[in-house]
Every structure is written in structure tokens, then in C-alpha cells.
């Protein structure tokens, strides 16, 4: 009964103070909403178990690590390595191989590129999932050297492509293969796909042929194709640490087995191979990428926004309580208990927390949509767990904002409060409110510093010289889908496709390439006088046709590029990057030097030119060890299939026109896909774009909330001091003296906040530094700009109260005396 009365009283009070209620509801809603959205994103990318996964705590993904100057971690490796680890480890009750890629699925006009998964037959045993139709494939259909031609459809693809009808026994083209449909996965089953659910699941020993028919013949015997991952289930009682030790022993044994095939591989003692039983989500794995670390930091930023919101709301409630302290005193004098008054404040805060939670859900939906566009292609960030977290944040915010006002309400001498008139004691500076205001300012400074650092990092990434110009370049990838052509016919067709691309209006240069930036192609290198080239770094190669350097805009700084004569059985030639030339032949002229690729017995390749350094492995990698070889020279170099086109005008706008022109010469069932090289670069910059966008958004939000809080405190203080200010004016104070008095108060709060915030930002710099690109976490320019910004915010927030204070009426003040 008492709670019901207190609730009705709180509702009436909030309805009477609609401006206060709306301000608190929006402020809390913003803090709760951004936290719910960030929790959803972090949970979705790093912690949420995959649907149907049985006992997720016992399941790990296997990561391989080795050391070459620094530690490298990989989640993809060879099928042979997977077989070795499965055979030579004993800590696991289950293990499975998984590979994911985009493949053309469907025939003729119905075919389109969709995500496909190759999985071992043991994979489905990790899940409590029953097929929606038919069956999963078994171990007799997943065998080396070639698995059975069977496929299991993803539930979503089954519904969209086949309308949910019975398709068992029908044939579906997946890449170049024609596979028999044996089953349909249950609704919501994605395997361990991080983003978009696979359209099909294929035996991994069949998938190898769908991905690369050339390497499929040896994928289970050699250690040369990194294309798949491994998941394991630990036996009961086996810890992740024990599993890691067991896997590491197996990895060292596998490393030594590889050395029997590849004599160039350094001994295990020099590379310290280690296998880790880590998180099944890649973003939570060892040496998690920059994107994951940025997301965790932004999650911390969201918590800071909530703290600022809570501080602001607490300040508003303290001010409201002080305004009604005489009413509180009268109620105490009439017999109300202090505990009852404190309970009423808690109920009012809880009610405000509920309203803030409802607003927060709307904000979370909006913020989640933005994060999803930046980061996640598929799947919702918000679910019932996220909504529960939003409710928890709301409850925490309600408690935090209730503690201060409730304590102040029940403290103080009753007789003093009752004797006080409207003027006497009407103004008291609250240390609690001042401390909260300074805390808001300090936290806002930290967020603004973070925003400035990420914006500068993003600007540095965008202005970085890549060694090639992605803006005018289109990538053309022909998909042959099993088209039967002998080597001479395929060579002739590749040349025809290149000539067709050259004839398209608006195309300036065309080159054929074997690989894309940010994907590695490497061979062991052998150079006379160097014991182990591999210990000097990872040397990537690109095979291409003569116009390559014109297409991508990479400059030849010494020697020459390729010509039409660099082909066939002539002398093997190469162009090397400046970094590679310095690494292999320091202080010497690289032109005319010789190196051998793949084996020491391979014919000599002569350096004919030196190109400017160009990004290849990673946009942040400073080790730009790259060499170029002519496409039309004999093995070991594999033929190049992709085309790079340099076009005039807006490259993305010409994608469909180029695709249609090239599709005309593609024989059925082959087709081409066209994309922009700029999109590939944009994906590499995504983590800085994410950090900059969210830090700026949350920093701006924090500043707005802090400015509102500062305005509220200064305005309240001015309202309470109007009598005092009127007396000052009556005694001769000028308007500008009053304005200065109010502004100095605001600036003192801002100054204290800036001092604490800058100190905290400098202290946190060593943890923030790894997230930045060519930017110091203690950049004095950013710190100065942020301090100036907070000063301007304080001036703006205090302007209206200062003007109101300067207009205090001295006659009213004198009459009240």
C-alpha cells in the first residue's frame, strides 16, 4: 500500500515537472541506448555462442603462431596441418575442419555468388541440430583425395531459392561442381559463420575442388595452401591451457614433418611454433585484430557516456531536491520518517530509470543500425539478452541517481530548515553537485581526446601513400565454373578477355594479375650469399602483364618495367620493391642481381627494375617486401586470371557497364564479377573509421550532456542568488561585474574538469597508442584543442544565466530586506 502511494506521488510530481522529466528521460535514454547497442555489437562479434552449438564452453578454434621478429597468429592453414594436429593431439573428443568462401551457386541466369562453407563430416556433431529436411553428409562422403558430390542447403537459401519445397535428390551447381542435395539445415543454423549464413554446406574434401581444382589434387598431401580452420571440443576435465600445450606438441611434430617436404622451412627452434586452443569467435581470439580492440575501447566509451548521463541526472535531481527542501522539512515536522522520504526518492529515480530504458531501446535501435552499416553485414545486434542488459543499465542508472538526492534529503537540521525564510539560506553551494559537474567535464575531455586521436588516425590512413592509386581501378574476376578448356585454349581466352577489356570505352590501361592487395602470394627465395632469405622477412610476389604499373600508378624508380618481350622461354626477369632491394642487397645496385624462387634449382630470375614501395600484406605493414614477375613466363609462377582496369571518371559507377561488356565474351556457364579496388582499401580502413565515427558521436553526445548539466547548475545557482546579486547591483556593481562572476564560476568548473580529463587521457595513452595509426596518443595539439573546446562550451552554457544575472532587480532585493 505504501509503495503504491509513493508511486502515485512520484508520478504526480513528474507530471508537474514535465521539463525536468523530459530532460532526465532523454539524458538517461541516450546513455542507456548507446550502452545497449555497444553491448549488442561486442556480444555479437566476440562472445555470443553460435546457434545450436552444444556446450560452447568446451569448444575452441585452433590458432597457429610462429615468431619472425614478432609473433604472427593465423586462423587458417593447410588441410595437411589439420590432419596432423587431429592425429597427434589427444586432448579432444571431437575435431572438425571448416572453410568459407564466396562461390557461384545455381546454374545459368539463376546463379549468383553466395557464401558457401566446406566442412568435415564431423562438423555437424558439434551442434544439437537436426536437418529440416533429409540428412547431413557422413564420413563416407568426406574422404581424401575427393569427397562425394553432395550438398546440404542452408535454410534461408532453401526458402529463397526453392520456396521451401522438397529438393532432395536434385542437382545444384556449386562453383564448377554439380552436387546432389541430400539435406537442408535447420532454421537459424549458420555453423561458425561470423557474418552471413552460408547458402550451402559441402564436404570439405569436395570443397577443395570447388575452390581450386589445380591445388585440389595435392591439398591433403602438401603444406602449401592455407585455406581452412579447425575447431575442437576438449575432453571433460581438459583445460584450455592443457589443450594448448597438447596442440603445440602436435604442431611442432607437424612442423618437422613439413621440413621433410620443404627443406627451406627453418627449424622449429628458430620460429617457436605454437598452437592455441582459443575462442571460437575470431574477434575474441589471441592477438585479436585492431577492429576488436577498437570495439572494446568504444564499449568503454559508452560506459563513460552513461556515467556522464548519470552525473547530469544526479545533478538535476539534487537541484530539484534543494529547491524543495523546505517542503521536505515541513513533511518531516508533520511526522514523515526520513526513511520514507528516501524511499520516495528511490522510487522516483526508478521510475525515471524505466522511462529512460524505454527511450534507450529506441536509441539502441538507431545506434545499432549505424554500427551494423559500419561493421556487421548480417544478423541483428539486438536480442532479448541485449534488452535485458538495457534494463540492467537502467536499474543501475536509477540507483546511482537516487543515492545522492536520497542522502541529502534525509540529512540536515530540521529546526534550521523550518526557521529559514525564502532568502535566508536559499543559496548553498553543493560540493556534491560541483564534484559531479567537474567529473562530467573530465570524462567529456577524455572522450573528445579519443575522438580527436581517431579522426587524426583515420586521416593519416586515408592520406597514406600506398604505392598505388586505388580510386580509378576496377577488379575483374572471371569465374569459369568448370568450363572444359585445355591450357592453350584457356591461354587464348585469357588474352581475348584482356583485349576485350582494352576496347571498352573509358578504359585506359588493362593488366592481368594473379593476386589482390592484402592477400599474400609467396615462394621461398634463394639468394647467393644469404643463408636464409626467409629470416629476412616475408617476400610476396605479383605476376602481371606489362601495363600493370600504368594501371595501378606504381612508379619504376630504377631500371625498367616489363615489355612484351618478357615472355615464353626467355630469360626470367623481375621488378623488386625498394624495400626488397635494400633488404637483399644493402648498399649495392640491385639491377642485374639474381634470385631463385621456390627451389635452389629453379633458373635464375634477374632484377631488371626497382619499383617504389607498395602496400601488399597489410595497410599498416611497413615491411613492403614485394616483387613482380611477368605473367607469361613459365612455372613456378602460376598463371594470372584477374584483370585490373584503370578507367576514366568514377570507377564504381562504371562497374555494371564493364561487367556487361565482358560478360558478352564469356562462354556459358562462365561469368565475370567486377568490383572496385577502393572498396578493398576501405575494408582495411574500417577499424579506424569505426573508431572515429563512434568516438566522435559519443564524444559529441557527452559534451552536449555535460553542457546541459553545466547550464542547469549555473542557471539554478543564478536563480538562487538573485537576491544576493540584486544587493550587489544596489551597492554599485556593474552588469559586467555580475556577468564575470557567473562566467568565472562556469570556467572554474570547466578548468578543473579539463585538468583532470587531460591528466587521465595522458595516463591512458599507452593503452590507446596501439589502436592509432601514425599518431601520438599524447598529441599536444589535440589536447589543446579539446581544452579550448570545453572552454567555449562553458562560455556558451553560462551565457544565458550570466545575462539573466546581470538583470537582477536591486529594488526587489532591498524590499525583501
Amino acid at each position: 500500500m505504501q509503495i503504491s502511494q509513493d508511486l502515485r506521488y512520484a508520478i504526480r510530481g513528474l507530471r508537474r515537472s514535465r521539463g525536468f522529466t523530459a530532460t532526465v528521460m532523454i539524458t538517461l535514454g541516450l546513455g542507456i541506448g548507446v550502452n545497449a547497442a555497444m553491448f549488442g555489437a561486442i556480444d555479437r562479434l566476440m562472445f555470443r555462442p553460435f546457434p545450436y552449438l552444444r556446450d560452447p564452453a568446451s569448444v575452441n578454434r585452433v590458432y597457429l603462431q610462429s615468431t619472425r621478429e614478432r609473433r604472427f597468429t593465423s586462423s587458417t592453414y593447410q588441410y595437411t596441418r589439420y590432419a596432423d594436429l587431429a592425429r597427434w593431439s589427444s586432448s579432444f573428443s571431437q575435431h572438425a575442419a571448416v572453410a568459407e568462401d564466396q562461390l557461384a551457386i545455381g546454374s545459368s541466369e539463376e546463379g549468383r555468388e553466395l557464401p558457401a562453407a566446406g566442412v568435415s563430416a564431423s562438423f555437424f556433431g558439434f551442434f544439437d541440430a537436426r536437418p529440416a529436411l533429409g540428412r547431413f553428409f557422413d564420413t563416407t562422403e568426406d574422404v581424401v583425395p575427393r569427397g562425394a558430390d553432395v550438398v546440404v542447403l542452408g535454410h534461408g537459401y532453401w526458402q529463397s531459392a526453392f520456396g521451401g519445397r522438397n529438393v532432395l535428390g536434385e542437382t545444384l551447381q556449386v562453383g564448377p561442381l554439380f552436387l546432389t542435395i541430400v539435406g537442408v539445415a535447420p532454421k537459424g543454423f549458420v555453423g561458425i559463420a561470423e557474418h552471413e549464413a552460408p547458402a550451402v554446406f559441402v564436404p570439405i574434401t569436395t570443397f577443395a575442388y570447388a575452390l581450386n581444382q589445380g591445388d585440389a589434387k595435392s591439398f591433403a598431401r602438401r603444406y602449401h595452401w592455407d585455406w581452412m580452420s579447425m575447431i575442437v571440443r576438449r575432453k571433460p576435465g581438459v583445460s584450455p591451457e592443457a589443450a594448448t600445450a597438447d596442440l603445440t606438441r602436435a604442431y611442432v611434430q607437424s612442423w618437422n614433418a613439413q621440413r621433410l617436404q620443404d627443406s627451406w622451412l627453418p627449424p622449429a627452434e628458430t620460429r617457436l611454433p605454437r598452437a592455441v586452443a582459443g575462442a571460437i569467435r575470431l574477434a575474441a581470439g589471441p592477438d585479436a585484430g585492431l577492429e576488436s580492440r577498437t570495439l572494446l575501447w568504444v564499449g568503454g566509451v559508452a560506459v563513460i557516456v552513461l556515467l556522464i548521463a548519470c552525473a547530469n541526472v544526479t545533478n538535476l535531481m539534487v537541484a530539484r531536491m534543494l529547491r524543495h527542501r523546505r517542503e521536505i522539512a515541513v513533511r518531516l515536522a508533520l511526522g514523515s520518517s526520513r526513511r520514507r522520504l528516501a524511499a520516495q526518492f528511490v522510487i522516483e529515480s526508478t521510475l525515471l530509470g524505466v522511462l529512460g530504458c524505454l527511450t534507450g531501446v529506441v536509441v539502441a535501435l538507431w545506434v545499432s543500425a549505424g554500427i551494423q552499416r559500419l561493421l556487421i553485414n548480417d544478423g541483428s545486434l539486438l536480442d532479448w539478452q541485449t534488452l535485458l542488459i538495457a534494463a540492467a543499465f537502467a536499474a543501475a542508472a536509477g540507483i546511482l541517481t537516487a543515492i545522492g538526492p536520497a542522502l541529502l534529503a534525509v540529512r540536515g537540521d530540521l529546526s534550521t530548515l523550518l526557521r529559514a525564510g525564502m532568502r535566508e539560506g536559499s543559496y548553498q553551494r553543493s560540493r556534491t553537485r560541483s564534484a559531479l559537474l567537474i567529473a562530467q567535464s573530465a570524462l567529456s575531455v577524455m572522450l573528445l581526446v579519443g575522438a580527436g586521436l581517431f579522426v587524426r588516425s583515420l586521416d593519416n590512413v586515408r592520406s597514406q601513400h600506398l604505392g598505388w592509386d586505388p580510386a580509378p581501378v576496377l577488379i575483374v574476376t572471371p569465374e569459369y565454373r568448370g568450363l572444359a578448356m585445355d591450357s592453350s585454349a584457356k591461354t587464348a581466352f585469357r588474352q581475348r578477355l584482356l583485349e576485350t577489356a582494352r576496347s571498352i570505352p573509358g578504359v585506359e590501361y588493362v593488366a592481368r594479375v594473379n593476386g589482390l592487395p592484402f592477400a599474400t602470394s609467396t615462394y621461398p627465395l634463394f639468394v647467393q650469399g644469404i643463408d636464409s632469405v626467409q629470416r629476412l622477412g616475408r617476400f610476396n610476389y605479383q605476376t602481371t602483364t606489362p601495363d600493370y604499373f600504368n594501371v595501378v600508378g606504381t612508379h619504376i624508380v630504377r631500371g625498367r618495367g616489363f615489355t612484351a618481350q618478357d615472355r615464353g622461354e626467355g630469360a626470367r626477369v623481375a621488378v623488386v620493391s625498394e624495400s626488397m632491394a635494400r633488404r637483399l642487397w644493402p648498399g649495392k645496385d640491385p639491377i642485374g642481381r639474381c634470385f631463385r624462387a621456390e627451389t635452389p634449382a629453379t633458373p635464375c630470375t634477374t632484377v631488371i627494375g626497382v619499383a617504389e614501395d607498395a602496400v601488399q600484406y597489410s595497410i599498416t605493414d611497413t615491411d613492403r617486401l614485394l616483387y613482380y614477375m611477368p605473367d607469361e613466363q613459365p612455372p613456378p609462377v602460376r598463371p594470372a586470371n584477374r584483370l585490373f582496369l584503370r578507367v576514366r571518371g568514377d570507377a564504381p559507377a562504371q562497374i555494371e557497364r564493364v561487367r556487361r561488356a565482358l560478360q558478352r565474351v564469356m562462354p556459358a556457364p562462365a561469368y565475370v564479377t567486377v568490383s572496385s579496388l577502393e572498396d578493398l582499401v576501405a575494408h582495411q580502413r574500417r577499424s579506424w573509421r569505426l573508431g572515429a565515427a563512434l568516438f566522435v558521436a559519443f564524444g559529441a553526445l557527452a559534451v552536449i550532456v555535460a553542457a546541459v548539466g553545466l547550464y542547469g547548475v549555473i542557471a539554478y545557482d543564478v536563480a538562487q542568488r538573485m537576491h544576493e546579486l540584486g544587493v550587489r547591483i544596489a551597492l554599485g556593481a556593474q552588469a559586467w561585474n555580475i556577468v564575470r562572476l557567473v562566467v568565472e564560476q562556469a570556467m572554474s568548473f570547466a578548468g578543473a574538469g579539463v585538468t583532470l580529463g587531460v591528466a587521465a587521457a595522458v595516463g591512458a595513452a599507452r593503452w590507446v597508442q596501439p589502436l592509432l595509426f601514425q599518431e601520438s596518443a599524447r598529441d599536444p595539439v589535440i589536447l589543446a584543442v579539446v581544452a579550448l573546446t570545453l572552454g567555449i562550451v562553458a562560455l556558451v552554457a553560462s551565457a544565458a544565466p550570466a545575462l539573466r544575472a546581470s538583470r537582477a532587480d536591486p529594488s526587489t532585493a532591498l524590499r525583501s530586506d
Side-chain angles (χ1 to χ4, degrees):
M1 185 68 178
Q2 181 175 307
I3 294 178
S4 175
Q5 290 177 347
D6 291 344
L7 183 61
R8 287 196 299 270
Y9 178 81
I11 292 173
R12 287 196 302 270
L14 294 179
R15 289 181 64 183
R16 285 195 303 268
S17 307
R18 294 182 181 179
F20 166 82
T21 303
T23 302
V24 170
M25 185 173 69
I26 293 172
T27 303
L28 283 181
L30 290 171
I32 293 168
V34 297
N35 274 272
M38 288 308 306
F39 171 83
I42 294 172
D43 179 53
R44 167 75 171 77
L45 282 176
M46 303 184 70
F47 305 115
R48 187 180 303 179
F50 290 102
Y52 298 100
L53 184 63
R54 186 175 66 255
D55 189 15
S58 68
V59 179
N60 297 101
R61 188 189 292 264
V62 177
Y63 301 84
L64 301 186
Q65 297 178 333
S66 62
T67 303
R68 185 179 64 246
E69 297 179 358
R70 62 183 179 88
R71 184 176 62 181
F72 290 86
T73 301
S74 176
S75 60
T76 58
Y77 28 88
Q78 313 90 344
Y79 185 92
T80 315
R81 186 82 70 206
Y82 156 74
D84 288 349
L85 295 177
R87 180 168 62 251
W88 291 327
S89 61
S90 58
S91 299
F92 310 105
S93 58
Q94 290 177 292
H95 49 75
V98 187
E100 298 172 358
D101 211 327
Q102 294 282 127
L103 288 176
I105 300 176
S107 303
S108 63
E109 295 297 324
E110 298 175 358
R112 54 195 176 105
E113 285 214 341
L114 294 170
V119 300
S120 57
S122 57
F123 178 77
F124 298 105
F126 281 78
F127 301 87
D128 290 321
R130 296 179 178 274
L133 190 68
R135 63 178 179 84
F136 298 132
F137 45 82
D138 57 35
T139 53
T140 64
E141 296 165 309
D142 176 30
V143 295
V144 294
R146 171 69 187 267
D149 289 337
V150 295
V151 61
V152 173
L153 304 183
H155 195 278
Y157 178 69
W158 176 52
Q159 291 288 336
S160 62
F162 298 98
R165 62 179 174 81
N166 190 336
V167 293
L168 298 181
E170 294 187 19
T171 299
L172 176 69
Q173 187 172 7
V174 178
L177 307 180
F178 291 87
L179 308 179
T180 301
I181 301 172
V182 297
V184 176
K187 185 176 182 180
F189 183 80
V190 300
I192 60 169
E194 297 278 354
H195 300 296
E196 194 173 356
V200 295
F201 297 87
V202 180
I204 197 162
T205 49
T206 306
F207 200 60
Y209 283 78
L211 289 180
N212 193 331
Q213 289 179 296
D215 278 335
K217 297 177 182 178
S218 58
F219 80 94
R221 293 185 291 104
R222 297 192 60 197
Y223 299 86
H224 66 292
W225 181 19
D226 297 343
W227 65 290
M228 49 141 292
S229 300
M230 179 181 186
I231 62 171
V232 294
R233 184 184 299 280
R234 303 190 310 277
K235 291 178 180 178
V238 176
S239 67
E241 293 75 19
T244 292
D246 186 27
L247 281 168
T248 298
R249 286 190 292 270
Y251 186 20
V252 171
Q253 193 172 351
S254 176
W255 186 283
N256 293 330
Q258 182 183 355
R259 292 195 72 215
L260 298 177
Q261 286 187 14
D262 303 319
S263 59
W264 55 265
L265 189 70
E269 293 79 11
T270 64
R271 289 294 179 85
L272 304 177
R274 181 172 183 260
V276 179
I280 193 168
R281 291 267 185 193
L282 290 171
D287 294 341
L290 181 62
E291 198 168 87
S292 306
R293 287 178 282 141
T294 301
L295 199 63
L296 287 174
W297 268 93
V298 176
V301 167
V303 174
I304 292 176
V305 171
L306 180 60
L307 292 176
I308 293 174
C310 289
N312 197 3
V313 169
T314 302
N315 243 334
L316 291 172
M317 294 188 70
V318 168
R320 185 165 179 262
M321 185 278 300
L322 291 175
R323 194 161 56 245
H324 295 291
R325 65 189 184 281
R326 287 177 56 80
E327 174 191 335
I328 293 171
V330 170
R331 292 179 62 189
L332 288 172
L334 293 176
S336 291
S337 69
R338 295 178 184 266
R339 180 178 297 179
R340 176 75 182 276
L341 288 176
Q344 286 181 346
F345 272 100
V346 171
I347 290 174
E348 185 177 76
S349 295
T350 303
L351 184 58
L352 288 170
V354 171
L355 295 175
C357 183
L358 296 176
T359 307
V361 170
V362 177
V363 173
L365 290 171
W366 176 69
V367 175
S368 294
I371 297 175
Q372 201 152 350
R373 283 194 296 271
L374 284 170
L375 197 61
I376 300 171
N377 298 324
D378 185 62
S380 173
L381 299 182
L382 293 181
D383 57 8
W384 65 269
Q385 290 176 307
T386 308
L387 296 178
L388 283 179
I389 290 296
F393 280 130
I399 293 171
L400 285 174
T401 56
I403 293 174
L407 290 176
L408 288 175
V410 299
R411 290 166 60 184
D413 181 66
L414 178 61
S415 60
T416 300
L417 289 175
L418 287 173
R419 285 196 304 269
M422 285 300 295
R423 176 172 61 81
E424 181 185 355
S426 61
Y427 171 67
Q428 274 186 322
R429 177 167 294 184
S430 170
R431 292 182 180 178
T432 301
R433 294 169 60 216
S434 299
L436 289 171
L437 197 55
I438 292 170
Q440 288 182 64
S441 300
L443 293 171
S444 298
V445 166
M446 293 176 65
L447 295 196
L448 285 182
V449 169
L453 293 174
F454 269 95
V455 168
R456 286 285 293 269
S457 288
L458 179 61
D459 185 58
N460 292 340
V461 168
R462 286 173 172 167
S463 60
Q464 181 193 22
H465 183 60
L466 302 175
W468 36 268
D469 181 12
V473 179
L474 295 178
I475 305 168
V476 175
T477 305
E479 299 288 350
Y480 296 103
R481 304 204 73 188
L483 186 65
M485 288 190 290
D486 58 29
S487 59
S488 60
K490 185 168 284 190
T491 299
F493 177 74
R494 289 165 59 231
Q495 187 61 29
R496 181 185 175 195
L497 191 64
L498 186 144
E499 296 297 338
T500 302
R502 283 176 177 161
S503 68
I504 299 173
V507 174
E508 296 181 323
Y509 298 103
V510 180
R512 192 164 51 237
V513 297
N514 78 304
L516 297 174
F518 315 119
T520 60
S521 298
T522 183
Y523 276 119
L525 296 185
F526 303 89
V527 177
Q528 186 176 3
I530 300 178
D531 292 336
S532 174
V533 174
Q534 278 61 49
R535 68 179 174 79
L536 298 178
R538 186 185 184 102
F539 294 83
N540 296 297
Y541 73 83
Q542 175 75 277
T543 65
T544 186
T545 48
D547 273 338
Y548 174 79
F549 299 104
N550 290 326
V551 171
V552 299
T554 300
H555 299 296
I556 302 294
V557 296
R558 295 193 63 186
R560 67 174 178 87
F562 304 130
T563 67
Q565 284 69 48
D566 297 317
R567 57 188 303 174
E569 299 298 328
R572 297 190 178 190
V573 296
V575 173
V576 301
S577 68
E578 293 177 285
S579 289
M580 179 172 174
R582 286 192 298 268
R583 190 70 57 90
L584 296 182
W585 304 286
K588 300 176 183 178
D589 185 0
I591 304 299
R593 299 283 175 177
C594 164
F595 66 86
R596 302 176 192 274
E598 191 173 36
T599 71
T602 302
C604 181
T605 298
T606 302
V607 177
I608 61 170
V610 178
E612 65 174 314
D613 283 344
V615 168
Q616 179 67 17
Y617 180 66
S618 165
I619 204 167
T620 60
D621 198 356
T622 57
D623 218 12
R624 300 181 179 184
L625 307 175
L626 181 63
Y627 60 101
Y628 309 86
M629 305 177 78
D631 172 52
E632 296 184 358
Q633 290 197 331
V637 180
R638 296 174 189 143
N641 280 316
R642 287 188 178 89
L643 297 179
F644 278 8
L645 280 61
R646 188 180 187 92
V647 298
R648 288 189 294 271
D650 183 14
Q654 302 183 58
I655 287 177
E656 183 59 23
R657 180 176 67 85
V658 170
R659 188 198 67 80
R660 286 198 304 267
L662 295 177
Q663 187 62 46
R664 296 190 191 104
V665 301
M666 296 294 291
Y671 67 97
V672 294
T673 59
V674 183
S675 58
S676 168
L677 185 55
E678 186 66 52
D679 288 342
L680 201 62
V681 177
H683 182 78
Q684 288 283 316
R685 295 169 175 164
R686 191 170 68 170
S687 59
W688 291 285
R689 193 169 70 250
L690 172 73
L694 293 181
F695 260 96
V696 167
F698 292 169
L701 177 61
V703 168
I704 291 171
V705 172
V708 170
L710 180 61
Y711 168 81
V713 169
I714 298 300
Y716 174 77
D717 283 354
V718 166
Q720 298 300 301
R721 299 178 68 181
M722 289 301 283
H723 176 271
E724 171 202 334
L725 297 173
V727 171
R728 286 174 179 264
I729 292 173
L731 294 175
Q734 300 296 313
W736 68 268
N737 296 121
I738 303 299
V739 169
R740 188 180 66 180
L741 182 69
V742 175
V743 171
E744 282 179 350
Q745 182 186 8
M747 295 304 292
S748 66
F749 287 137
V754 166
T755 302
L756 289 176
V758 168
V762 170
R766 65 190 182 97
W767 292 290
V768 177
Q769 189 63 58
L771 306 178
L772 307 177
F773 182 76
Q774 296 179 359
E775 174 64 28
S776 170
R778 296 184 174 94
D779 189 332
V781 174
I782 290 177
L783 296 176
V785 169
V786 168
L788 180 61
T789 301
L790 260 294
I792 293 172
V793 168
L795 283 175
V796 172
S798 61
L803 184 62
R804 189 180 309 118
S806 67
R807 296 172 179 170
D809 185 2
S811 60
T812 302
L814 293 175
R815 281 198 303 271
S816 67
D817 281 333

